[in-house]
Amino acid sequence: YSVENGISLPIYIPVGYNSENVFFVGTYDVENTIQSIFLQTGIGYKIATLGKFDFSLQAGIGLDYFLAYKVKGDLNFLETRKVNPRESNFLSSTNLSGISGFSVNYRMSRQFGLGLDLTYRKFISGGEVSSSRPTSVLGFGMSVNYILGKKEE
């Protein structure tokens, strides 16, 4: 950990730390917490229908706006390191992502439905993260869907 302005903070190399006041206590785990607003637009292709339920494949794009980034070490005396995304090379304040997924939609009417979505997001733009694996997120959520398509007679 490092001591900065009298506060003991976890070391997380991508976000930086004060290298002049480092103390070694062995390994410890860190927990990363990101707070963001995520806007997504997408299109689905219905592959099956079972009563009022539609099953579809999804594709789309998303935009994240990151509000806060926190790193907490699991040692009880460490404070939480707060990183401002607008002042960091590690994480841009906005990121664009490509989205693919699967959705189960419950039709409430001919044009509206409620969906449960399982998505995979791959970030297209962002900060300078050095990793051998692409930055991505597997997620789930709920959606309100507006249904476009031909009229069923």
Side-chain angles (χ1 to χ4, degrees):
Y1 68 96
S2 68
V3 177
E4 301 171 23
N5 298 323
I7 301 172
S8 298
L9 297 168
I11 293 177
Y12 189 60
I13 293 172
V15 297
Y17 61 95
N18 182 349
S19 61
E20 294 181 11
N21 291 312
V22 173
F23 297 89
F24 297 97
V25 292
T27 60
Y28 57 90
D29 291 327
V30 294
E31 178 182 305
N32 298 313
T33 304
I34 298 174
Q35 295 173 341
S36 68
I37 295 174
F38 174 63
L39 300 174
Q40 171 182 333
T41 185
I43 189 165
Y45 179 75
K46 183 169 58 170
I47 56 174
T49 299
L50 182 61
K52 287 191 164 202
F53 292 93
D54 296 328
F55 302 89
S56 60
L57 298 175
Q58 304 289 322
I61 58 171
L63 181 67
D64 287 285
Y65 180 74
F66 293 105
L67 304 169
Y69 182 68
K70 299 175 185 174
V71 180
K72 175 72 177 145
D74 69 350
L75 301 175
N76 61 0
F77 62 88
L78 292 177
E79 298 292 326
T80 300
R81 179 181 294 277
K82 297 175 184 173
V83 179
N84 185 342
R86 289 168 291 289
E87 298 174 357
S88 171
N89 288 338
F90 171 67
L91 182 69
S92 291
S93 58
T94 57
N95 284 280
L96 187 65
S97 58
I99 302 162
S100 61
F102 179 77
S103 180
V104 177
N105 182 59
Y106 175 76
R107 284 185 181 244
M108 298 182 331
S109 69
R110 289 177 67 169
Q111 290 190 304
F112 289 97
L114 291 176
L116 293 175
D117 308 310
L118 178 64
T119 58
Y120 173 78
R121 292 174 39 207
K122 182 173 185 317
F123 294 101
I124 300 168
S125 64
E128 300 174 15
V129 177
S130 60
S131 176
S132 59
R133 294 182 292 165
T135 304
S136 60
V137 174
L138 182 63
F140 61 92
M142 293 182 64
S143 60
V144 175
N145 300 309
Y146 180 74
I147 302 160
L148 300 173
K150 64 181 180 180
K151 290 185 179 180
E152 296 177 17
E153 323 234 358

